[in-house]
Coordinates of all heavy atoms in Angstrom, one line a residue:
M3 N 52.8 197.0 270.3 CA 51.9 198.2 270.0 C 51.1 198.5 271.2 O 50.8 199.7 271.4 CB 51.0 197.9 268.8 CG 51.7 197.8 267.5 SD 52.2 199.5 267.1 CE 53.1 199.2 265.7
A4 N 50.7 197.6 272.0 CA 49.9 197.8 273.2 C 50.6 198.3 274.4 O 50.0 198.7 275.4 CB 49.0 196.6 273.5
L5 N 52.0 198.2 274.4 CA 52.8 198.6 275.6 C 52.5 200.0 276.1 O 52.3 200.2 277.3 CB 54.2 198.3 275.3 CG 55.2 198.6 276.5 CD1 54.8 197.6 277.6 CD2 56.6 198.4 276.1
P6 N 52.5 201.0 275.2 CA 52.2 202.3 275.8 C 50.8 202.4 276.5 O 50.7 203.1 277.5 CB 52.2 203.2 274.5 CG 53.0 202.5 273.5 CD 52.8 201.1 273.8
V7 N 49.9 201.7 275.9 CA 48.5 201.7 276.6 C 48.6 201.0 277.9 O 48.1 201.5 278.9 CB 47.5 201.0 275.6 CG1 46.1 200.9 276.3 CG2 47.3 201.8 274.4
D8 N 49.3 199.9 277.9 CA 49.5 199.1 279.2 C 50.2 200.0 280.2 O 49.8 200.0 281.4 CB 50.3 197.8 278.9 CG 49.5 196.8 278.1 OD1 48.3 196.9 278.0 OD2 50.2 195.9 277.5
L9 N 51.2 200.7 279.8 CA 52.0 201.5 280.8 C 51.1 202.6 281.3 O 51.1 202.9 282.5 CB 53.2 202.1 280.1 CG 54.3 201.1 279.8 CD1 55.5 201.7 279.0 CD2 54.9 200.4 281.1
F10 N 50.3 203.2 280.5 CA 49.4 204.3 280.9 C 48.4 203.7 281.9 O 48.1 204.3 282.9 CB 48.7 204.9 279.7 CG 47.5 205.8 280.0 CD1 47.8 207.1 280.4 CD2 46.2 205.4 280.0 CE1 46.8 208.0 280.8 CE2 45.2 206.2 280.3 CZ 45.5 207.5 280.7
L11 N 47.8 202.6 281.6 CA 46.8 202.0 282.5 C 47.4 201.5 283.8 O 46.8 201.7 284.8 CB 46.1 200.8 281.8 CG 45.2 201.1 280.6 CD1 44.7 199.8 279.9 CD2 44.0 201.9 281.1
M12 N 48.6 201.0 283.8 CA 49.3 200.6 285.0 C 49.5 201.9 285.9 O 49.3 201.8 287.1 CB 50.6 199.9 284.7 CG 50.4 198.5 284.3 SD 51.9 197.5 284.2 CE 53.2 198.5 284.2
R13 N 50.0 202.9 285.3 CA 50.2 204.1 286.1 C 48.9 204.6 286.7 O 48.8 205.0 287.9 CB 50.8 205.2 285.3 CG 50.9 206.5 286.1 CD 51.7 207.6 285.4 NE 53.0 207.4 285.9 CZ 54.0 208.1 285.5 NH1 53.9 209.0 284.5 NH2 55.2 208.0 286.0
R14 N 47.9 204.6 285.9 CA 46.6 205.2 286.3 C 45.9 204.3 287.3 O 45.3 204.8 288.3 CB 45.7 205.3 285.1 CG 44.4 205.9 285.4 CD 44.0 206.8 284.3 NE 42.8 207.5 284.8 CZ 42.1 208.3 284.2 NH1 42.4 208.6 282.9 NH2 41.0 208.9 284.7
L15 N 45.9 202.9 287.1 CA 45.2 202.0 288.0 C 45.9 201.7 289.3 O 45.3 201.6 290.4 CB 44.8 200.8 287.3 CG 43.8 201.0 286.1 CD1 43.7 199.7 285.3 CD2 42.5 201.5 286.6
I16 N 47.2 201.4 289.2 CA 48.0 201.0 290.4 C 49.2 201.8 290.7 O 49.9 201.5 291.7 CB 48.4 199.5 290.2 CG1 49.3 199.3 289.0 CG2 47.2 198.6 290.2 CD1 49.9 197.9 288.9
G17 N 49.4 202.9 290.0 CA 50.4 203.8 290.3 C 51.8 203.4 290.0 O 52.8 203.9 290.6
V18 N 52.0 202.5 289.1 CA 53.4 202.0 288.7 C 53.7 202.7 287.4 O 53.0 202.5 286.4 CB 53.4 200.5 288.6 CG1 54.8 200.0 288.1 CG2 53.1 199.8 289.9
G19 N 54.8 203.5 287.4 CA 55.2 204.2 286.2 C 56.1 203.4 285.3 O 56.6 202.3 285.6
P20 N 56.3 203.9 284.1 CA 57.1 203.3 283.1 C 58.6 203.0 283.5 O 59.2 202.0 283.2 CB 57.1 204.2 281.9 CG 55.9 205.1 282.1 CD 55.7 205.2 283.6
R21 N 59.1 203.9 284.3 CA 60.5 203.7 284.8 C 60.6 202.5 285.7 O 61.6 201.8 285.6 CB 61.0 205.0 285.5 CG 61.3 206.1 284.5 CD 62.0 207.2 285.3 NE 61.9 208.4 284.4 CZ 61.9 209.6 284.8 NH1 61.9 209.9 286.1 NH2 61.8 210.6 283.9
R22 N 59.7 202.4 286.5 CA 59.7 201.2 287.5 C 59.6 199.9 286.7 O 60.3 198.9 286.9 CB 58.7 201.3 288.5 CG 58.7 200.1 289.4 CD 58.3 200.4 290.8 NE 58.5 199.2 291.6 CZ 57.7 198.9 292.6 NH1 56.7 199.7 292.9 NH2 57.8 197.8 293.2
V23 N 58.7 199.9 285.7 CA 58.4 198.7 284.9 C 59.7 198.4 284.2 O 60.2 197.2 284.1 CB 57.3 198.9 283.9 CG1 57.2 197.7 283.0 CG2 56.0 199.0 284.7
T24 N 60.3 199.4 283.5 CA 61.6 199.2 282.8 C 62.7 198.7 283.7 O 63.4 197.7 283.4 CB 62.0 200.5 282.1 OG1 60.9 200.9 281.3 CG2 63.2 200.3 281.3
R25 N 62.8 199.2 284.9 CA 63.8 198.8 285.8 C 63.6 197.4 286.3 O 64.6 196.6 286.4 CB 63.8 199.8 287.0 CG 64.9 199.5 288.0 CD 64.9 200.6 289.1 NE 63.6 201.2 289.3 CZ 63.0 201.4 290.4 NH1 63.7 201.1 291.5 NH2 61.8 201.9 290.5
E26 N 62.4 197.0 286.5 CA 62.1 195.6 287.0 C 62.3 194.6 285.9 O 62.7 193.5 286.1 CB 60.7 195.5 287.5 CG 60.4 196.3 288.7 CD 61.2 195.8 290.0 OE1 61.4 194.6 290.0 OE2 61.6 196.6 290.8
L27 N 62.1 195.0 284.6 CA 62.3 194.1 283.5 C 63.7 194.0 283.0 O 64.0 193.1 282.2 CB 61.3 194.4 282.4 CG 59.8 194.2 282.7 CD1 59.0 194.7 281.5 CD2 59.5 192.8 283.0
A28 N 64.5 195.0 283.3 CA 65.9 195.1 282.7 C 66.7 193.8 283.1 O 67.4 193.3 282.2 CB 66.6 196.3 283.2
V29 N 66.7 193.4 284.3 CA 67.6 192.3 284.7 C 67.1 191.0 284.0 O 68.0 190.3 283.3 CB 67.6 192.1 286.2 CG1 68.3 190.8 286.6 CG2 68.3 193.3 286.8
P30 N 65.9 190.5 284.1 CA 65.5 189.3 283.4 C 65.7 189.4 281.8 O 66.0 188.4 281.2 CB 64.1 189.0 283.8 CG 63.6 190.2 284.4 CD 64.7 191.0 284.9
F31 N 65.4 190.6 281.3 CA 65.5 190.7 279.8 C 67.0 190.6 279.4 O 67.3 189.9 278.5 CB 65.0 192.1 279.4 CG 65.2 192.3 277.9 CD1 64.3 191.7 277.0 CD2 66.2 193.1 277.4 CE1 64.5 191.9 275.6 CE2 66.4 193.3 276.1 CZ 65.5 192.7 275.2
T32 N 67.9 191.2 280.2 CA 69.3 191.1 279.9 C 69.8 189.7 280.0 O 70.6 189.2 279.2 CB 70.1 192.1 280.7 OG1 69.5 193.4 280.6 CG2 71.6 192.2 280.3
A33 N 69.4 189.0 281.1 CA 69.8 187.7 281.3 C 69.3 186.8 280.2 O 70.0 185.8 279.8 CB 69.3 187.2 282.7
S34 N 68.1 187.0 279.7 CA 67.5 186.2 278.6 C 68.3 186.5 277.3 O 68.5 185.5 276.6 CB 66.0 186.6 278.4 OG 65.3 186.3 279.5
A35 N 68.7 187.7 277.1 CA 69.5 188.0 275.9 C 70.8 187.3 276.0 O 71.3 186.7 275.0 CB 69.7 189.5 275.7
G36 N 71.5 187.3 277.1 CA 72.7 186.6 277.3 C 72.6 185.1 277.1 O 73.4 184.5 276.5
M37 N 71.5 184.6 277.7 CA 71.2 183.1 277.5 C 71.1 182.8 276.0 O 71.6 181.8 275.5 CB 70.0 182.7 278.2 CG 69.6 181.3 278.0 SD 67.9 180.9 278.6 CE 66.9 181.8 277.5
A38 N 70.3 183.6 275.3 CA 70.1 183.4 273.9 C 71.4 183.4 273.1 O 71.7 182.5 272.2 CB 69.1 184.4 273.3
V39 N 72.3 184.4 273.3 CA 73.5 184.5 272.6 C 74.4 183.3 273.0 O 75.0 182.6 272.1 CB 74.3 185.8 273.0 CG1 75.7 185.8 272.5 CG2 73.5 187.0 272.4
T40 N 74.5 182.9 274.2 CA 75.3 181.7 274.6 C 74.8 180.5 274.0 O 75.5 179.6 273.5 CB 75.3 181.6 276.2 OG1 75.7 182.8 276.7 CG2 76.1 180.4 276.6
T41 N 73.5 180.3 274.0 CA 72.9 179.0 273.5 C 73.1 179.0 272.0 O 73.4 177.9 271.4 CB 71.4 179.0 273.8 OG1 71.2 179.1 275.2 CG2 70.7 177.7 273.4
L42 N 72.9 180.1 271.3 CA 73.2 180.1 269.8 C 74.6 179.8 269.5 O 74.9 179.1 268.5 CB 72.7 181.5 269.2 CG 71.2 181.7 269.1 CD1 70.9 183.1 268.7 CD2 70.6 180.7 268.2
F43 N 75.5 180.3 270.3 CA 77.0 180.1 270.1 C 77.3 178.6 270.2 O 77.9 178.0 269.4 CB 77.8 180.9 271.1 CG 79.3 180.6 270.9 CD1 80.0 181.1 269.9 CD2 79.9 179.8 271.9 CE1 81.4 180.9 269.8 CE2 81.3 179.6 271.8 CZ 82.0 180.1 270.7
V44 N 76.7 178.0 271.3 CA 76.9 176.6 271.5 C 76.3 175.7 270.4 O 76.8 174.8 269.9 CB 76.4 176.1 272.9 CG1 76.4 174.6 273.1 CG2 77.2 176.8 274.0
R45 N 75.1 176.2 270.0 CA 74.4 175.4 268.9 C 75.2 175.4 267.6 O 75.2 174.4 266.9 CB 73.0 176.1 268.6 CG 72.2 175.4 267.6 CD 70.9 176.1 267.4 NE 70.1 175.5 266.4 CZ 69.4 176.1 265.5 NH1 69.2 177.4 265.6 NH2 68.8 175.5 264.5
E46 N 75.8 176.5 267.3 CA 76.6 176.6 266.1 C 77.9 175.8 266.2 O 78.5 175.4 265.2 CB 77.0 178.1 265.8 CG 75.8 178.9 265.3 CD 75.1 178.4 264.1 OE1 75.8 178.0 263.2 OE2 73.8 178.3 264.1
S47 N 78.4 175.6 267.5 CA 79.6 174.9 267.7 C 79.4 173.4 267.7 O 80.4 172.6 267.5 CB 80.2 175.3 269.1 OG 80.5 176.6 269.1
V48 N 78.2 172.9 267.9 CA 77.9 171.5 268.0 C 77.5 171.0 266.6 O 76.6 171.4 266.0 CB 76.7 171.2 269.0 CG1 76.4 169.8 269.0 CG2 77.1 171.7 270.4
V49 N 78.3 170.1 266.1 CA 78.1 169.6 264.8 C 78.1 168.0 264.8 O 79.0 167.5 265.5 CB 79.2 170.1 263.8 CG1 79.0 169.5 262.4 CG2 79.2 171.6 263.7
G50 N 77.2 167.4 264.2 CA 77.2 165.9 264.1 C 76.7 165.2 265.3 O 77.0 164.0 265.5
V51 N 76.0 165.9 266.2 CA 75.5 165.3 267.4 C 74.0 165.0 267.2 O 73.3 165.7 266.5 CB 75.6 166.3 268.6 CG1 75.0 165.8 269.9 CG2 77.0 166.7 268.8
P52 N 73.6 163.8 267.6 CA 72.2 163.5 267.5 C 71.2 164.5 268.0 O 71.6 165.2 269.0 CB 72.0 162.1 268.3 CG 73.4 161.6 268.3 CD 74.3 162.8 268.3
A53 N 70.1 164.7 267.4 CA 69.2 165.7 267.8 C 68.8 165.7 269.3 O 68.7 166.8 269.9 CB 67.9 165.7 266.9
L54 N 68.5 164.6 269.8 CA 68.1 164.5 271.2 C 69.2 165.0 272.1 O 69.0 165.7 273.1 CB 67.6 163.1 271.6 CG 67.1 162.9 273.0 CD1 65.9 163.8 273.3 CD2 66.7 161.5 273.3
A55 N 70.4 164.5 271.8 CA 71.6 165.0 272.6 C 71.8 166.5 272.5 O 72.1 167.1 273.5 CB 72.8 164.2 272.2
E56 N 71.6 167.0 271.3 CA 71.8 168.5 271.1 C 70.7 169.2 271.9 O 71.0 170.2 272.6 CB 71.6 168.8 269.6 CG 71.8 170.3 269.3 CD 71.7 170.6 267.9 OE1 71.6 169.7 267.0 OE2 71.6 171.8 267.5
L57 N 69.5 168.7 271.9 CA 68.4 169.3 272.7 C 68.7 169.4 274.2 O 68.6 170.4 274.8 CB 67.1 168.6 272.5 CG 65.9 169.1 273.3 CD1 65.5 170.5 273.0 CD2 64.7 168.1 273.2
V58 N 69.2 168.2 274.7 CA 69.5 168.1 276.1 C 70.7 169.1 276.5 O 70.6 169.8 277.5 CB 69.9 166.7 276.5 CG1 70.4 166.6 277.9 CG2 68.6 165.8 276.4
L59 N 71.7 169.1 275.6 CA 72.8 170.0 275.8 C 72.4 171.5 275.8 O 72.8 172.2 276.7 CB 73.9 169.8 274.8 CG 75.1 170.7 274.8 CD1 75.9 170.5 276.0 CD2 75.9 170.5 273.5
L60 N 71.6 171.8 274.8 CA 71.2 173.2 274.7 C 70.3 173.7 275.9 O 70.4 174.8 276.3 CB 70.5 173.5 273.4 CG 71.4 173.4 272.1 CD1 70.6 173.6 270.9 CD2 72.6 174.4 272.2
V61 N 69.4 172.8 276.3 CA 68.6 173.1 277.5 C 69.4 173.4 278.7 O 69.3 174.3 279.4 CB 67.5 172.0 277.7 CG1 66.8 172.2 279.1 CG2 66.5 172.0 276.6
A62 N 70.4 172.4 278.9 CA 71.3 172.6 280.1 C 72.1 173.9 280.0 O 72.3 174.6 281.0 CB 72.2 171.4 280.2
V63 N 72.7 174.2 278.8 CA 73.4 175.4 278.6 C 72.5 176.6 278.8 O 73.0 177.6 279.4 CB 74.1 175.4 277.2 CG1 74.6 176.8 276.8 CG2 75.2 174.4 277.1
G64 N 71.3 176.6 278.3 CA 70.4 177.7 278.5 C 70.1 178.0 280.0 O 70.1 179.1 280.4
V65 N 69.8 176.9 280.7 CA 69.5 177.1 282.1 C 70.7 177.6 282.9 O 70.6 178.6 283.7 CB 69.0 175.7 282.7 CG1 68.9 175.8 284.3 CG2 67.7 175.3 282.2
L66 N 71.8 177.0 282.7 CA 73.0 177.4 283.4 C 73.4 178.8 283.1 O 73.8 179.6 283.9 CB 74.2 176.4 283.2 CG 74.0 175.1 283.8 CD1 75.1 174.1 283.4 CD2 73.9 175.2 285.3
S67 N 73.4 179.2 281.8 CA 73.8 180.5 281.4 C 72.8 181.6 281.9 O 73.3 182.6 282.3 CB 74.0 180.6 279.9 OG 72.8 180.4 279.2
Y68 N 71.5 181.3 281.9 CA 70.6 182.2 282.4 C 70.8 182.5 283.9 O 70.8 183.6 284.3 CB 69.1 181.7 282.2 CG 68.1 182.6 282.7 CD1 67.7 183.7 281.9 CD2 67.4 182.5 283.9 CE1 66.8 184.6 282.3 CE2 66.5 183.4 284.3 CZ 66.1 184.5 283.5 OH 65.2 185.4 283.9
L69 N 71.1 181.4 284.7 CA 71.4 181.6 286.1 C 72.6 182.4 286.3 O 72.7 183.2 287.2 CB 71.5 180.2 286.8 CG 70.2 179.5 287.0 CD1 70.4 178.1 287.5 CD2 69.3 180.3 288.0
V70 N 73.7 182.1 285.5 CA 74.9 182.8 285.7 C 74.7 184.3 285.4 O 75.1 185.2 286.1 CB 76.0 182.2 284.7 CG1 77.2 183.2 284.6 CG2 76.5 180.9 285.3
F71 N 74.0 184.6 284.3 CA 73.8 186.0 283.9 C 72.9 186.7 285.0 O 73.1 187.8 285.4 CB 73.1 186.1 282.5 CG 74.1 186.0 281.4 CD1 74.1 184.9 280.6 CD2 74.9 187.1 281.1 CE1 75.0 184.8 279.5 CE2 75.8 187.0 280.1 CZ 75.8 185.8 279.3
L72 N 71.9 186.0 285.4 CA 70.9 186.5 286.4 C 71.6 186.8 287.7 O 71.5 187.9 288.3 CB 69.8 185.5 286.6 CG 68.5 186.1 287.2 CD1 67.9 187.2 286.3 CD2 67.5 185.0 287.3
L73 N 72.5 185.9 288.2 CA 73.2 186.1 289.5 C 74.2 187.2 289.3 O 74.4 188.0 290.2 CB 73.8 184.8 289.9 CG 72.8 183.8 290.4 CD1 73.5 182.4 290.7 CD2 72.0 184.2 291.6
G74 N 74.9 187.3 288.2 CA 75.8 188.3 287.9 C 75.2 189.7 287.9 O 75.7 190.7 288.5
L75 N 74.0 189.8 287.2 CA 73.3 191.1 287.2 C 72.7 191.4 288.5 O 72.6 192.6 288.9 CB 72.2 191.0 286.1 CG 72.7 190.9 284.7 CD1 71.6 190.5 283.7 CD2 73.3 192.3 284.3
D76 N 72.3 190.4 289.3 CA 71.7 190.7 290.6 C 72.8 191.4 291.5 O 72.4 192.3 292.3 CB 71.3 189.4 291.2 CG 70.7 189.6 292.6 OD1 69.7 190.3 292.7 OD2 71.3 189.0 293.6
R77 N 74.0 191.0 291.4 CA 75.1 191.6 292.2 C 75.2 193.1 291.8 O 75.4 193.9 292.6 CB 76.4 190.9 291.9 CG 77.5 191.5 292.7 CD 78.8 190.7 292.6 NE 78.6 189.5 293.4 CZ 79.5 188.5 293.4 NH1 80.5 188.5 292.7 NH2 79.3 187.5 294.2
Q78 N 75.1 193.4 290.5 CA 75.2 194.8 290.0 C 74.0 195.6 290.4 O 74.1 196.8 290.8 CB 75.4 194.8 288.5 CG 76.6 195.4 288.1 CD 76.8 195.4 286.6 OE1 76.1 194.7 285.8 NE2 77.7 196.2 286.1
F79 N 72.8 195.1 290.2 CA 71.6 195.9 290.3 C 70.9 195.7 291.7 O 69.8 196.3 291.9 CB 70.6 195.5 289.2 CG 71.0 196.0 287.9 CD1 71.7 195.1 287.0 CD2 70.8 197.3 287.5 CE1 72.2 195.6 285.8 CE2 71.2 197.7 286.2 CZ 71.9 196.9 285.4
S80 N 71.4 194.8 292.5 CA 70.7 194.6 293.9 C 69.3 194.3 293.7 O 68.4 194.9 294.3 CB 70.9 195.8 294.8 OG 72.3 196.0 295.0
W81 N 69.0 193.3 292.9 CA 67.6 192.9 292.6 C 67.0 192.1 293.7 O 65.8 191.9 293.7 CB 67.6 192.2 291.3 CG 66.3 192.3 290.5 CD1 65.5 193.5 290.3 CD2 65.6 191.3 289.8 NE1 64.5 193.2 289.5 CE2 64.5 191.8 289.2 CE3 65.9 189.9 289.7 CZ2 63.6 191.1 288.5 CZ3 65.0 189.2 288.9 CH2 63.9 189.8 288.3
G82 N 67.8 191.5 294.6 CA 67.3 190.7 295.7 C 67.1 189.2 295.4 O 66.5 188.5 296.1
L83 N 67.7 188.8 294.2 CA 67.5 187.4 293.8 C 68.2 186.4 294.8 O 67.8 185.4 295.1 CB 68.0 187.2 292.4 CG 67.9 185.8 291.8 CD1 66.4 185.5 291.7 CD2 68.6 185.7 290.5
R84 N 69.4 186.8 295.2 CA 70.2 185.9 296.1 C 69.4 185.6 297.4 O 69.4 184.4 297.8 CB 71.6 186.5 296.4 CG 72.5 186.6 295.2 CD 73.8 187.3 295.5 NE 74.5 187.5 294.3 CZ 75.4 186.6 293.8 NH1 75.6 185.5 294.4 NH2 76.1 186.9 292.7
G85 N 68.8 186.6 298.0 CA 68.0 186.3 299.2 C 66.8 185.4 298.9 O 66.5 184.5 299.7
N86 N 66.2 185.6 297.8 CA 65.1 184.7 297.4 C 65.5 183.3 297.1 O 64.9 182.4 297.5 CB 64.4 185.3 296.1 CG 63.7 186.6 296.4 OD1 63.4 186.9 297.5 ND2 63.4 187.3 295.3
L87 N 66.7 183.2 296.5 CA 67.2 181.9 296.2 C 67.6 181.1 297.5 O 67.3 179.9 297.6 CB 68.5 182.0 295.3 CG 69.0 180.8 294.6 CD1 67.9 180.1 293.8 CD2 70.2 181.1 293.7
R88 N 68.2 181.9 298.4 CA 68.5 181.2 299.7 C 67.3 180.8 300.4 O 67.2 179.7 301.0 CB 69.3 182.2 300.6 CG 70.7 182.3 300.3 CD 71.5 183.1 301.3 NE 72.6 183.8 300.7 CZ 72.7 185.0 300.4 NH1 71.7 185.8 300.8 NH2 73.7 185.6 299.8
A89 N 66.2 181.6 300.4 CA 65.0 181.2 301.0 C 64.4 179.9 300.4 O 63.9 179.1 301.1 CB 64.0 182.4 301.0
V90 N 64.4 179.9 299.1 CA 63.8 178.7 298.4 C 64.7 177.5 298.7 O 64.1 176.4 299.0 CB 63.8 179.0 296.9 CG1 63.5 177.7 296.1 CG2 62.7 180.0 296.6
T91 N 66.0 177.6 298.6 CA 66.8 176.4 298.8 C 66.8 176.0 300.3 O 66.8 174.8 300.6 CB 68.3 176.6 298.4 OG1 68.8 177.8 299.1 CG2 68.4 176.8 296.9
G92 N 66.6 176.9 301.2 CA 66.4 176.6 302.6 C 65.1 175.9 302.9 O 65.1 175.0 303.7
A93 N 64.1 176.3 302.1 CA 62.8 175.6 302.3 C 62.9 174.1 301.9 O 62.2 173.3 302.4 CB 61.7 176.3 301.5
F94 N 63.7 173.8 300.8 CA 63.8 172.5 300.4 C 64.6 171.6 301.4 O 64.5 170.4 301.5 CB 64.5 172.4 299.0 CG 63.5 172.7 297.9 CD1 63.8 173.8 297.1 CD2 62.4 172.0 297.7 CE1 63.0 174.1 296.0 CE2 61.5 172.3 296.6 CZ 61.8 173.4 295.8
G95 N 65.5 172.3 302.1 CA 66.3 171.6 303.1 C 65.6 171.3 304.4 O 66.1 170.4 305.1
R96 N 64.5 171.9 304.7 CA 63.8 171.6 305.9 C 62.8 170.4 305.7 O 62.2 170.3 304.7 CB 62.9 172.8 306.3 CG 63.8 174.0 306.8 CD 62.9 175.1 307.3 NE 63.4 176.3 306.7 CZ 62.7 177.3 306.2 NH1 61.5 177.2 306.1 NH2 63.4 178.3 305.7
S97 N 62.7 169.6 306.7 CA 61.8 168.5 306.6 C 60.4 169.0 307.2 O 60.4 169.7 308.2 CB 62.3 167.3 307.3 OG 62.6 167.6 308.6
G98 N 59.4 168.5 306.6 CA 58.0 168.9 307.0 C 57.7 168.8 308.4 O 56.9 169.3 309.0

């Protein structure tokens, strides 16, 4: 309910319009939706597994599916995630 007010205030205070906000949120939102569908599908497929093992499996599936969707969408929308990921992994590879 507060989103229209937030969008109005963002445009007024910092000059960011609703289209830009929607465009910036589209990729992570779509990746989250894909992750949710994938995780629910795997959850329904796993039967008779101990709860802790199911939790570990679903967390791993969620992380991996989110990354797959995010990287796939990044290629389509040129969101810049690949460059950021390279910078982060490169920072881990350097010694202090």
